[in-house]
Short mmCIF file of all heavy atoms in Angstrom, two decimals:
data_model
loop_
_atom_site.label_atom_id
_atom_site.label_comp_id
_atom_site.label_asym_id
_atom_site.label_seq_id
_atom_site.Cartn_x
_atom_site.Cartn_y
_atom_site.Cartn_z
N VAL X 140 72.48 -198.87 126.26
CA VAL X 140 72.69 -198.77 124.81
C VAL X 140 72.76 -197.31 124.38
O VAL X 140 73.67 -196.92 123.62
CB VAL X 140 71.56 -199.52 124.04
CG1 VAL X 140 71.59 -199.20 122.56
CG2 VAL X 140 71.68 -201.02 124.27
N ASP X 141 71.84 -196.48 124.86
CA ASP X 141 71.83 -195.07 124.47
C ASP X 141 73.11 -194.37 124.89
O ASP X 141 73.71 -193.62 124.10
CB ASP X 141 70.62 -194.35 125.07
CG ASP X 141 69.30 -194.80 124.45
OD1 ASP X 141 69.32 -195.41 123.36
OD2 ASP X 141 68.24 -194.54 125.07
N LYS X 142 73.57 -194.62 126.11
CA LYS X 142 74.82 -194.01 126.58
C LYS X 142 76.02 -194.50 125.76
O LYS X 142 76.91 -193.73 125.42
CB LYS X 142 75.04 -194.32 128.06
CG LYS X 142 74.12 -193.54 128.97
CD LYS X 142 74.35 -193.88 130.43
CE LYS X 142 73.34 -193.14 131.29
NZ LYS X 142 73.46 -193.48 132.70
N THR X 143 76.01 -195.77 125.43
CA THR X 143 77.09 -196.33 124.62
C THR X 143 77.10 -195.71 123.23
O THR X 143 78.17 -195.35 122.70
CB THR X 143 76.95 -197.87 124.52
OG1 THR X 143 76.94 -198.42 125.84
CG2 THR X 143 78.08 -198.48 123.71
N MET X 144 75.93 -195.57 122.65
CA MET X 144 75.84 -194.96 121.31
C MET X 144 76.32 -193.50 121.34
O MET X 144 77.03 -193.07 120.43
CB MET X 144 74.42 -195.05 120.77
CG MET X 144 73.95 -196.45 120.43
SD MET X 144 74.89 -197.29 119.13
CE MET X 144 74.42 -196.33 117.70
N ILE X 145 75.94 -192.75 122.36
CA ILE X 145 76.38 -191.35 122.47
C ILE X 145 77.90 -191.31 122.55
O ILE X 145 78.55 -190.49 121.89
CB ILE X 145 75.72 -190.67 123.69
CG1 ILE X 145 74.23 -190.44 123.41
CG2 ILE X 145 76.43 -189.35 124.03
CD1 ILE X 145 73.42 -190.06 124.65
N PHE X 146 78.48 -192.20 123.33
CA PHE X 146 79.93 -192.25 123.50
C PHE X 146 80.65 -192.69 122.22
O PHE X 146 81.67 -192.11 121.84
CB PHE X 146 80.30 -193.18 124.66
CG PHE X 146 81.76 -193.37 124.85
CD1 PHE X 146 82.54 -192.36 125.38
CD2 PHE X 146 82.38 -194.57 124.49
CE1 PHE X 146 83.92 -192.52 125.55
CE2 PHE X 146 83.74 -194.75 124.67
CZ PHE X 146 84.51 -193.72 125.19
N ALA X 147 80.12 -193.71 121.56
CA ALA X 147 80.81 -194.31 120.42
C ALA X 147 80.57 -193.61 119.09
O ALA X 147 81.44 -193.62 118.22
CB ALA X 147 80.40 -195.78 120.29
N ASP X 148 79.41 -193.00 118.92
CA ASP X 148 79.04 -192.37 117.65
C ASP X 148 79.67 -190.98 117.54
O ASP X 148 79.04 -189.96 117.74
CB ASP X 148 77.51 -192.29 117.55
CG ASP X 148 77.03 -191.69 116.24
OD1 ASP X 148 77.83 -191.61 115.29
OD2 ASP X 148 75.86 -191.28 116.19
N LYS X 149 80.94 -190.97 117.17
CA LYS X 149 81.73 -189.73 117.14
C LYS X 149 81.20 -188.71 116.13
O LYS X 149 81.25 -187.51 116.37
CB LYS X 149 83.20 -190.02 116.86
CG LYS X 149 83.84 -191.00 117.82
CD LYS X 149 83.93 -190.47 119.21
CE LYS X 149 84.68 -191.44 120.11
NZ LYS X 149 84.44 -191.22 121.50
N ASP X 150 80.71 -189.17 114.98
CA ASP X 150 80.25 -188.24 113.95
C ASP X 150 78.75 -187.93 114.06
O ASP X 150 78.18 -187.25 113.22
CB ASP X 150 80.61 -188.71 112.54
CG ASP X 150 79.96 -190.03 112.16
OD1 ASP X 150 79.10 -190.55 112.93
OD2 ASP X 150 80.31 -190.57 111.09
N LYS X 151 78.12 -188.46 115.09
CA LYS X 151 76.71 -188.18 115.42
C LYS X 151 75.74 -188.47 114.27
O LYS X 151 74.78 -187.76 114.06
CB LYS X 151 76.54 -186.72 115.88
CG LYS X 151 77.46 -186.30 117.00
CD LYS X 151 77.19 -187.12 118.25
CE LYS X 151 78.14 -186.70 119.38
NZ LYS X 151 78.49 -187.78 120.26
N ASP X 152 76.00 -189.58 113.55
CA ASP X 152 75.09 -189.95 112.46
C ASP X 152 74.08 -191.02 112.89
O ASP X 152 73.34 -191.56 112.08
CB ASP X 152 75.87 -190.40 111.23
CG ASP X 152 76.69 -191.66 111.45
OD1 ASP X 152 76.78 -192.15 112.61
OD2 ASP X 152 77.27 -192.17 110.46
N GLY X 153 74.07 -191.36 114.19
CA GLY X 153 73.09 -192.31 114.71
C GLY X 153 73.50 -193.77 114.58
O GLY X 153 72.71 -194.66 114.86
N LYS X 154 74.74 -194.01 114.18
CA LYS X 154 75.23 -195.38 114.05
C LYS X 154 76.74 -195.38 114.28
O LYS X 154 77.39 -194.35 114.18
CB LYS X 154 74.87 -195.96 112.68
CG LYS X 154 75.28 -195.10 111.51
CD LYS X 154 74.63 -195.56 110.22
CE LYS X 154 74.98 -194.57 109.11
NZ LYS X 154 74.25 -194.85 107.90
N VAL X 155 77.27 -196.55 114.58
CA VAL X 155 78.70 -196.69 114.87
C VAL X 155 79.36 -197.41 113.70
O VAL X 155 78.99 -198.53 113.34
CB VAL X 155 78.92 -197.48 116.19
CG1 VAL X 155 80.40 -197.70 116.45
CG2 VAL X 155 78.25 -196.77 117.35
#
Side-chain angles (χ1 to χ4, degrees):
V140 168
D141 291 343
K142 287 179 184 177
T143 303
M144 291 298 291
I145 289 167
F146 176 73
D148 182 16
K149 304 294 185 199
D150 63 6
K151 307 298 180 212
D152 64 353
K154 52 193 175 188
V155 177

